[in-house]
Amino acid sequence: MSHHYSGPDFGFPHGDARLDLTDLYAFPKPGEADKSILIMNVHPSAVVNPPGSTTRVPFASEALYELKIDTNGDAVADIAYRVRFSSSADGPQTATVRRVEGAQAAETGDSGQVVIEAAPVSTGRDARVTEPGRYRFFAGWRSDPFFFDTRGALNDLQFTGDDFFIDKDVCSIALEMPNSALGPERVGLWARTLDGAGGVWVQADRGALPAQAVFLVGSERDGYHAGEPANDARFIAVFAHALEHTGGYAPEEARRVAETLLPDMLSYDPTRPASFPSNGRTLTDDVADAFLAVLTNGKVTGDKVGPHIDLLAEFPYLGPPHNSYVQSHATSSIATELRKASRRLGSS
């Protein structure tokens, strides 16, 4: 399920849905090739088991949300954007974004140059966008753009085209920036959440490529989420074993494929069109199909689900929220029509 529900037993990291990283996107701005869009999605609106809704408070004020950028290929951050949110107890949440470069970008902390301050967080259908200097910024509830037949995956990969996410919401952090702010032409990207509730920053979740955590269980998954891309080689054997078991790969081939999945970074060249997995990731890229083909060694190539049709043509590009944490919306006529359209796209 992409990176949704990456905590223990399809739960949330540290038991907090707001710390759950779900997806990372990177693509050139439509119509302005000298700018890029980075989107970090967190906080699914729904719980899988038992079914229900998560908190309506979009972001945790005691957390740090980071976008990491490796500019020289060593899997260590050279640039970082750090986002912190005000407490909802003090009124509507606002966001502050800081930028750090050099050695400080690879460290843990909430310091850095303020590039966006007091940006309002959106909780309604209208997207409240902040435009400070070279940047555009959005944070708040949006329609979850991820599409996948989750129930089919849990039913031994027997897919029916039932998109679990068609009426779900997610909290998005979207940043538009000039390509010059990313560094050289090709960069490596990942995102992470840090929990500061205990008085010290603890990494709760991290990732870039979809569905990586399915290879890991127990302490291995915990170690992965707490780790850094530069150290991901230690997980190659674990990934390879899972590929042998699930896809029937021969040992040498399984290891070769595992090495293509690590380190867990999204490769992105802003001078080229985006298309997963070769370059970045757009909101309509069918990453689930790509992952299934790898996981099963080509035995399963799709889940019969297509992209969502509620995306916007302008920043922040994600559709308005369904308020699906109000459970009655899950069976609304709008949700039904969206589900039908998604199935048609997935089978085309």
Side-chain angles (χ1 to χ4, degrees):
M1 290 189 295
S2 191
H3 215 272
H4 296 67
Y5 314 107
S6 47
D9 300 320
F10 292 102
F12 300 116
H14 296 197
D16 190 338
R18 298 169 300 176
L19 299 175
D20 191 14
L21 171 68
T22 67
D23 288 284
L24 177 65
Y25 301 88
F27 52 91
K29 180 180 179 181
E32 293 187 54
D34 61 336
K35 296 180 180 178
S36 286
I37 309 297
L38 304 184
I39 297 176
M40 172 187 184
N41 284 345
V42 299
H43 188 180
S45 64
V47 181
V48 173
N49 188 24
S53 57
T54 60
T55 175
R56 296 190 184 194
V57 178
F59 303 97
S61 60
E62 65 275 12
L64 187 64
Y65 300 83
E66 270 195 309
L67 289 164
K68 299 282 222 176
I69 305 170
D70 166 31
T71 64
N72 58 12
D74 63 358
V76 176
D78 302 293
I79 301 171
Y81 288 89
R82 297 169 171 167
V83 188
R84 288 206 68 180
F85 295 90
S86 64
S87 172
S88 59
D90 300 328
Q93 284 191 303
T94 61
T96 297
V97 183
R98 291 178 169 84
R99 187 181 194 272
V100 290
E101 296 185 46
Q104 190 181 13
E107 298 172 354
T108 297
D110 62 351
S111 61
Q113 177 189 2
V114 175
V115 293
I116 299 165
E117 191 169 17
V121 171
S122 295
T123 56
R125 290 181 59 83
D126 293 335
R128 304 180 68 184
V129 176
T130 303
E131 301 188 37
R134 304 186 301 164
Y135 298 93
R136 298 182 86 193
F137 176 80
F138 168 87
W141 285 107
R142 291 279 93 184
S143 171
D144 193 340
F146 183 62
F147 48 100
F148 186 53
D149 180 358
T150 300
R151 295 180 181 89
L154 298 176
N155 185 31
D156 198 28
L157 303 184
Q158 300 301 306
F159 295 111
T160 64
D162 182 17
D163 186 357
F164 176 82
F165 297 94
I166 194 69
D167 52 18
K168 303 301 188 295
D169 292 333
V170 73
C171 287
S172 299
I173 298 171
L175 191 61
E176 177 187 308
M177 66 180 71
N179 292 337
S180 59
L182 286 171
E185 289 186 353
R186 181 168 290 278
V187 297
L189 306 171
W190 71 100
R192 69 174 183 169
T193 61
L194 297 103
D195 185 359
V200 60
W201 292 117
V202 177
Q203 184 168 299
D205 203 357
R206 61 102 178 187
L209 304 179
Q212 300 284 82
V214 304
F215 292 108
L216 307 161
V217 295
S219 60
E220 290 172 343
R221 179 177 288 196
D222 293 340
Y224 187 80
H225 290 150
E228 297 284 345
N231 300 319
D232 278 351
R234 63 185 173 130
F235 296 105
I236 289 175
V238 179
F239 276 41
H241 177 75
L243 289 167
E244 287 183 52
H245 175 75
T246 305
Y249 287 89
E252 289 186 4
E253 180 67 4
R255 185 173 182 87
R256 184 194 67 79
V257 174
E259 289 173 347
T260 68
L261 301 174
L262 296 167
D264 188 358
M265 299 192 302
L266 185 66
S267 179
Y268 175 57
D269 180 348
T271 68
R272 297 174 49 230
S275 179
F276 184 87
S278 60
N279 188 51
R281 178 182 174 186
T282 73
L283 296 169
T284 57
D285 283 339
D286 201 330
V287 297
D289 284 4
F291 178 75
L292 286 169
V294 172
L295 180 67
T296 67
N297 198 8
K299 298 179 181 68
V300 178
T301 57
D303 64 343
K304 304 178 183 178
V305 174
H308 294 172
I309 61 173
D310 59 354
L311 300 173
L312 304 180
E314 58 186 12
F315 189 84
Y317 303 103
L318 304 117
H322 308 279
N323 290 334
S324 58
Y325 40 85
V326 179
Q327 294 185 14
S328 61
H329 283 246
T331 56
S332 70
S333 59
I334 295 176
T336 300
E337 292 306 312
L338 286 171
R339 195 181 302 275
K340 290 178 181 178
S342 178
R343 284 176 176 169
R344 289 195 296 271
L345 287 169
S347 60
S348 61

